[in-house]
Amino acid sequence: MQQYILLKKLRVQNANAIAGLTYGFPAITNFLGFAHALSRKLPANLQVTLGGVAVVSHKNDVHARQPKGWGDYVFALTRNPLTQQGKTAPINEEGRMNMQLSLLIEIEGLVAGDKITQQSLLEELTTLIPSLRLAGGQITEFERCEVLNDEATQQKALRRLMPGFVLLDRSDYLEAHFLQLQAQQQDASRFDAWCDFSKLKYQATALKAEQRDDEQSAPIEQDELSTTLKATWAYLAKPNTGYLVPIAAGYYAISELYSAGDVDKVRDKTVPVTFAETAYSVGEWQSVHRLKEINAGVWRYTHQFPWYLAKTQSTSLEIVDPDTDESASDDAFDPDFM
């Protein structure tokens, strides 16, 4: 049976709230990277590795404000020291947030009933966790970590994580909506389908003649270019029900795979390098009590060049080719733009 390590109620401050074109919560790759970093720092004699991650959010507070008390929100940025000339130092705008969450991480290599290794693992994690960053933020405290090695313990742990919301993969919703959209409009792209899950949309419907109140309405003005009509505005629901959100779910390689050392000024010259862009998908926040088993909410990497995606077992869709603009040519690229 699959065993999990529960990191309960991690408090993180100043975590990155921006993930590519999305904001409000870190990308799922941040949590997989955190589990990978923990796994690499574990002593080799434990012979234990950490795998996929399920994310349960309890609280989050994006550092944003309304300058006028109403209207659009803007990020609340840090105030940096003045320069030597007494002027405000230029900064790059950053979105930050505080959050409280729990992580359920897969354990590989731990023999059930091995209490000595289990205790050593918990001691190592208790020491390592405060020393690492999660999504760029500092871990200020956590309630506890424990090993869940049987079904009864895992079900009890899920109940103790309430109130909380688990992030689930809904890439199947995106693919189904894209096929429906393409049937209506042949030139529709997956980006159009993705935007339908992220936009707040309203639609105007013109009123019929008998529904208009001619006495109270203003006279209709008409010219050669436009026509003014009375209409009702209605909210357009998202393609599927649920607390659906756009998410950053991995990466897509935009170049060939270069051998180690071929590219200058990279972080690690001992490994192959490729240039990549963020890949997007759709996720759903769902209350923990609706999660029947932990495995249904665990994110794992799926690699099929040029894709490197985080997905769950609940979705079994094949990785598709990206939408490309065939009208664009390599000659249009200006190297001096970089």
PDB file of all heavy atoms in Angstrom, residues 256-277:
ATOM      1  N   GLU A 256      15.893  22.744 -28.889  1.00  0.00           N
ATOM      2  CA  GLU A 256      16.424  21.393 -28.784  1.00  0.00           C
ATOM      3  C   GLU A 256      17.120  21.201 -27.445  1.00  0.00           C
ATOM      4  O   GLU A 256      17.373  22.169 -26.713  1.00  0.00           O
ATOM      5  CB  GLU A 256      17.412  21.138 -29.921  1.00  0.00           C
ATOM      6  CG  GLU A 256      18.617  22.078 -29.888  1.00  0.00           C
ATOM      7  CD  GLU A 256      19.582  21.817 -31.017  1.00  0.00           C
ATOM      8  OE1 GLU A 256      20.295  20.801 -30.933  1.00  0.00           O
ATOM      9  OE2 GLU A 256      19.605  22.628 -31.960  1.00  0.00           O
ATOM     10  N   LEU A 257      17.435  19.967 -27.114  1.00  0.00           N
ATOM     11  CA  LEU A 257      18.139  19.660 -25.876  1.00  0.00           C
ATOM     12  C   LEU A 257      19.640  19.762 -26.125  1.00  0.00           C
ATOM     13  O   LEU A 257      20.211  18.991 -26.886  1.00  0.00           O
ATOM     14  CB  LEU A 257      17.770  18.247 -25.400  1.00  0.00           C
ATOM     15  CG  LEU A 257      18.356  17.835 -24.048  1.00  0.00           C
ATOM     16  CD1 LEU A 257      17.814  18.723 -22.934  1.00  0.00           C
ATOM     17  CD2 LEU A 257      18.036  16.368 -23.760  1.00  0.00           C
ATOM     18  N   TYR A 258      20.266  20.750 -25.477  1.00  0.00           N
ATOM     19  CA  TYR A 258      21.698  20.966 -25.648  1.00  0.00           C
ATOM     20  C   TYR A 258      22.489  20.130 -24.643  1.00  0.00           C
ATOM     21  O   TYR A 258      22.056  19.932 -23.500  1.00  0.00           O
ATOM     22  CB  TYR A 258      22.032  22.447 -25.453  1.00  0.00           C
ATOM     23  CG  TYR A 258      21.396  23.357 -26.474  1.00  0.00           C
ATOM     24  CD1 TYR A 258      20.218  24.049 -26.176  1.00  0.00           C
ATOM     25  CD2 TYR A 258      21.950  23.523 -27.731  1.00  0.00           C
ATOM     26  CE1 TYR A 258      19.619  24.883 -27.114  1.00  0.00           C
ATOM     27  CE2 TYR A 258      21.357  24.361 -28.680  1.00  0.00           C
ATOM     28  CZ  TYR A 258      20.189  25.025 -28.356  1.00  0.00           C
ATOM     29  OH  TYR A 258      19.599  25.846 -29.289  1.00  0.00           O
ATOM     30  N   SER A 259      23.632  19.665 -25.057  1.00  0.00           N
ATOM     31  CA  SER A 259      24.494  18.872 -24.188  1.00  0.00           C
ATOM     32  C   SER A 259      25.043  19.735 -23.059  1.00  0.00           C
ATOM     33  O   SER A 259      25.097  20.970 -23.162  1.00  0.00           O
ATOM     34  CB  SER A 259      25.643  18.251 -24.984  1.00  0.00           C
ATOM     35  OG  SER A 259      25.152  17.432 -26.024  1.00  0.00           O
ATOM     36  N   ALA A 260      25.466  19.068 -22.005  1.00  0.00           N
ATOM     37  CA  ALA A 260      26.019  19.779 -20.849  1.00  0.00           C
ATOM     38  C   ALA A 260      27.229  20.606 -21.263  1.00  0.00           C
ATOM     39  O   ALA A 260      28.136  20.113 -21.940  1.00  0.00           O
ATOM     40  CB  ALA A 260      26.394  18.787 -19.759  1.00  0.00           C
ATOM     41  N   GLY A 261      27.230  21.878 -20.870  1.00  0.00           N
ATOM     42  CA  GLY A 261      28.347  22.759 -21.169  1.00  0.00           C
ATOM     43  C   GLY A 261      28.228  23.522 -22.463  1.00  0.00           C
ATOM     44  O   GLY A 261      29.042  24.425 -22.726  1.00  0.00           O
ATOM     45  N   ASP A 262      27.243  23.221 -23.310  1.00  0.00           N
ATOM     46  CA  ASP A 262      27.107  23.909 -24.594  1.00  0.00           C
ATOM     47  C   ASP A 262      26.542  25.319 -24.442  1.00  0.00           C
ATOM     48  O   ASP A 262      26.783  26.179 -25.289  1.00  0.00           O
ATOM     49  CB  ASP A 262      26.201  23.106 -25.531  1.00  0.00           C
ATOM     50  CG  ASP A 262      26.890  21.871 -26.088  1.00  0.00           C
ATOM     51  OD1 ASP A 262      28.094  21.699 -25.799  1.00  0.00           O
ATOM     52  OD2 ASP A 262      26.228  21.084 -26.795  1.00  0.00           O
ATOM     53  N   VAL A 263      25.775  25.567 -23.382  1.00  0.00           N
ATOM     54  CA  VAL A 263      25.145  26.865 -23.170  1.00  0.00           C
ATOM     55  C   VAL A 263      25.847  27.580 -22.013  1.00  0.00           C
ATOM     56  O   VAL A 263      26.015  27.003 -20.930  1.00  0.00           O
ATOM     57  CB  VAL A 263      23.643  26.707 -22.866  1.00  0.00           C
ATOM     58  CG1 VAL A 263      22.987  28.074 -22.678  1.00  0.00           C
ATOM     59  CG2 VAL A 263      22.951  25.940 -23.983  1.00  0.00           C
ATOM     60  N   ASP A 264      26.259  28.824 -22.268  1.00  0.00           N
ATOM     61  CA  ASP A 264      26.948  29.598 -21.233  1.00  0.00           C
ATOM     62  C   ASP A 264      25.952  30.191 -20.238  1.00  0.00           C
ATOM     63  O   ASP A 264      24.769  30.355 -20.516  1.00  0.00           O
ATOM     64  CB  ASP A 264      27.747  30.735 -21.873  1.00  0.00           C
ATOM     65  CG  ASP A 264      28.903  30.215 -22.716  1.00  0.00           C
ATOM     66  OD1 ASP A 264      29.381  29.093 -22.425  1.00  0.00           O
ATOM     67  OD2 ASP A 264      29.306  30.915 -23.664  1.00  0.00           O
ATOM     68  N   LYS A 265      26.477  30.521 -19.078  1.00  0.00           N
ATOM     69  CA  LYS A 265      25.749  31.260 -18.035  1.00  0.00           C
ATOM     70  C   LYS A 265      24.477  30.541 -17.585  1.00  0.00           C
ATOM     71  O   LYS A 265      23.423  31.160 -17.371  1.00  0.00           O
ATOM     72  CB  LYS A 265      25.406  32.671 -18.524  1.00  0.00           C
ATOM     73  CG  LYS A 265      26.641  33.508 -18.847  1.00  0.00           C
ATOM     74  CD  LYS A 265      26.263  34.897 -19.322  1.00  0.00           C
ATOM     75  CE  LYS A 265      27.505  35.709 -19.662  1.00  0.00           C
ATOM     76  NZ  LYS A 265      27.160  37.078 -20.123  1.00  0.00           N
ATOM     77  N   VAL A 266      24.552  29.217 -17.461  1.00  0.00           N
ATOM     78  CA  VAL A 266      23.440  28.456 -16.883  1.00  0.00           C
ATOM     79  C   VAL A 266      23.786  28.097 -15.445  1.00  0.00           C
ATOM     80  O   VAL A 266      24.939  28.181 -15.026  1.00  0.00           O
ATOM     81  CB  VAL A 266      23.144  27.180 -17.708  1.00  0.00           C
ATOM     82  CG1 VAL A 266      22.676  27.547 -19.098  1.00  0.00           C
ATOM     83  CG2 VAL A 266      24.373  26.284 -17.769  1.00  0.00           C
ATOM     84  N   ARG A 267      22.776  27.699 -14.697  1.00  0.00           N
ATOM     85  CA  ARG A 267      22.995  27.439 -13.280  1.00  0.00           C
ATOM     86  C   ARG A 267      23.902  26.241 -13.048  1.00  0.00           C
ATOM     87  O   ARG A 267      24.753  26.253 -12.167  1.00  0.00           O
ATOM     88  CB  ARG A 267      21.635  27.211 -12.590  1.00  0.00           C
ATOM     89  CG  ARG A 267      21.740  26.957 -11.101  1.00  0.00           C
ATOM     90  CD  ARG A 267      20.358  26.813 -10.483  1.00  0.00           C
ATOM     91  NE  ARG A 267      19.581  28.036 -10.632  1.00  0.00           N
ATOM     92  CZ  ARG A 267      18.336  28.170 -10.198  1.00  0.00           C
ATOM     93  NH1 ARG A 267      17.721  27.147  -9.622  1.00  0.00           N
ATOM     94  NH2 ARG A 267      17.687  29.311 -10.362  1.00  0.00           N
ATOM     95  N   ASP A 268      23.726  25.188 -13.817  1.00  0.00           N
ATOM     96  CA  ASP A 268      24.506  23.959 -13.641  1.00  0.00           C
ATOM     97  C   ASP A 268      24.991  23.489 -15.004  1.00  0.00           C
ATOM     98  O   ASP A 268      24.199  23.060 -15.838  1.00  0.00           O
ATOM     99  CB  ASP A 268      23.647  22.881 -12.975  1.00  0.00           C
ATOM    100  CG  ASP A 268      24.459  21.654 -12.556  1.00  0.00           C
ATOM    101  OD1 ASP A 268      25.654  21.579 -12.919  1.00  0.00           O
ATOM    102  OD2 ASP A 268      23.908  20.785 -11.866  1.00  0.00           O
ATOM    103  N   LYS A 269      26.293  23.566 -15.235  1.00  0.00           N
ATOM    104  CA  LYS A 269      26.861  23.204 -16.527  1.00  0.00           C
ATOM    105  C   LYS A 269      27.136  21.706 -16.655  1.00  0.00           C
ATOM    106  O   LYS A 269      27.678  21.262 -17.656  1.00  0.00           O
ATOM    107  CB  LYS A 269      28.157  23.972 -16.766  1.00  0.00           C
ATOM    108  CG  LYS A 269      27.949  25.465 -16.975  1.00  0.00           C
ATOM    109  CD  LYS A 269      29.231  26.154 -17.396  1.00  0.00           C
ATOM    110  CE  LYS A 269      28.977  27.619 -17.688  1.00  0.00           C
ATOM    111  NZ  LYS A 269      30.209  28.319 -18.150  1.00  0.00           N
ATOM    112  N   THR A 270      26.732  20.918 -15.650  1.00  0.00           N
ATOM    113  CA  THR A 270      26.976  19.473 -15.693  1.00  0.00           C
ATOM    114  C   THR A 270      25.778  18.692 -16.205  1.00  0.00           C
ATOM    115  O   THR A 270      25.837  17.466 -16.297  1.00  0.00           O
ATOM    116  CB  THR A 270      27.352  18.961 -14.294  1.00  0.00           C
ATOM    117  OG1 THR A 270      26.252  19.167 -13.392  1.00  0.00           O
ATOM    118  CG2 THR A 270      28.581  19.686 -13.758  1.00  0.00           C
ATOM    119  N   VAL A 271      24.683  19.384 -16.527  1.00  0.00           N
ATOM    120  CA  VAL A 271      23.474  18.697 -16.989  1.00  0.00           C
ATOM    121  C   VAL A 271      23.039  19.289 -18.331  1.00  0.00           C
ATOM    122  O   VAL A 271      23.363  20.445 -18.641  1.00  0.00           O
ATOM    123  CB  VAL A 271      22.325  18.828 -15.971  1.00  0.00           C
ATOM    124  CG1 VAL A 271      22.696  18.161 -14.663  1.00  0.00           C
ATOM    125  CG2 VAL A 271      21.984  20.294 -15.724  1.00  0.00           C
ATOM    126  N   PRO A 272      22.318  18.543 -19.169  1.00  0.00           N
ATOM    127  CA  PRO A 272      21.799  19.081 -20.434  1.00  0.00           C
ATOM    128  C   PRO A 272      20.843  20.243 -20.186  1.00  0.00           C
ATOM    129  O   PRO A 272      20.225  20.347 -19.120  1.00  0.00           O
ATOM    130  CB  PRO A 272      21.080  17.888 -21.069  1.00  0.00           C
ATOM    131  CG  PRO A 272      21.688  16.692 -20.413  1.00  0.00           C
ATOM    132  CD  PRO A 272      22.040  17.109 -19.020  1.00  0.00           C
ATOM    133  N   VAL A 273      20.691  21.111 -21.187  1.00  0.00           N
ATOM    134  CA  VAL A 273      19.898  22.331 -21.034  1.00  0.00           C
ATOM    135  C   VAL A 273      18.956  22.483 -22.222  1.00  0.00           C
ATOM    136  O   VAL A 273      19.320  22.177 -23.363  1.00  0.00           O
ATOM    137  CB  VAL A 273      20.814  23.574 -20.944  1.00  0.00           C
ATOM    138  CG1 VAL A 273      19.980  24.852 -20.900  1.00  0.00           C
ATOM    139  CG2 VAL A 273      21.700  23.486 -19.713  1.00  0.00           C
ATOM    140  N   THR A 274      17.756  22.934 -21.943  1.00  0.00           N
ATOM    141  CA  THR A 274      16.819  23.330 -22.992  1.00  0.00           C
ATOM    142  C   THR A 274      16.070  24.568 -22.533  1.00  0.00           C
ATOM    143  O   THR A 274      15.884  24.790 -21.327  1.00  0.00           O
ATOM    144  CB  THR A 274      15.812  22.196 -23.305  1.00  0.00           C
ATOM    145  OG1 THR A 274      15.020  22.569 -24.429  1.00  0.00           O
ATOM    146  CG2 THR A 274      14.905  21.922 -22.125  1.00  0.00           C
ATOM    147  N   PHE A 275      15.655  25.396 -23.484  1.00  0.00           N
ATOM    148  CA  PHE A 275      14.872  26.579 -23.162  1.00  0.00           C
ATOM    149  C   PHE A 275      13.389  26.188 -23.165  1.00  0.00           C
ATOM    150  O   PHE A 275      12.946  25.418 -24.016  1.00  0.00           O
ATOM    151  CB  PHE A 275      15.139  27.690 -24.170  1.00  0.00           C
ATOM    152  CG  PHE A 275      16.550  28.210 -24.115  1.00  0.00           C
ATOM    153  CD1 PHE A 275      17.530  27.676 -24.941  1.00  0.00           C
ATOM    154  CD2 PHE A 275      16.892  29.213 -23.228  1.00  0.00           C
ATOM    155  CE1 PHE A 275      18.830  28.149 -24.887  1.00  0.00           C
ATOM    156  CE2 PHE A 275      18.187  29.695 -23.171  1.00  0.00           C
ATOM    157  CZ  PHE A 275      19.167  29.159 -24.000  1.00  0.00           C
ATOM    158  N   ALA A 276      12.637  26.736 -22.214  1.00  0.00           N
ATOM    159  CA  ALA A 276      11.252  26.312 -22.040  1.00  0.00           C
ATOM    160  C   ALA A 276      10.356  27.485 -21.696  1.00  0.00           C
ATOM    161  O   ALA A 276      10.815  28.530 -21.228  1.00  0.00           O
ATOM    162  CB  ALA A 276      11.148  25.239 -20.952  1.00  0.00           C
ATOM    163  N   GLU A 277       9.061  27.301 -21.925  1.00  0.00           N
ATOM    164  CA  GLU A 277       8.028  28.254 -21.547  1.00  0.00           C
ATOM    165  C   GLU A 277       7.023  27.550 -20.640  1.00  0.00           C
ATOM    166  O   GLU A 277       6.937  26.315 -20.619  1.00  0.00           O
ATOM    167  CB  GLU A 277       7.312  28.811 -22.777  1.00  0.00           C
ATOM    168  CG  GLU A 277       8.154  29.725 -23.648  1.00  0.00           C
ATOM    169  CD  GLU A 277       8.349  31.107 -23.047  1.00  0.00           C
ATOM    170  OE1 GLU A 277       7.718  31.388 -22.002  1.00  0.00           O
ATOM    171  OE2 GLU A 277       9.115  31.893 -23.612  1.00  0.00           O
TER     172      GLU A 277
END
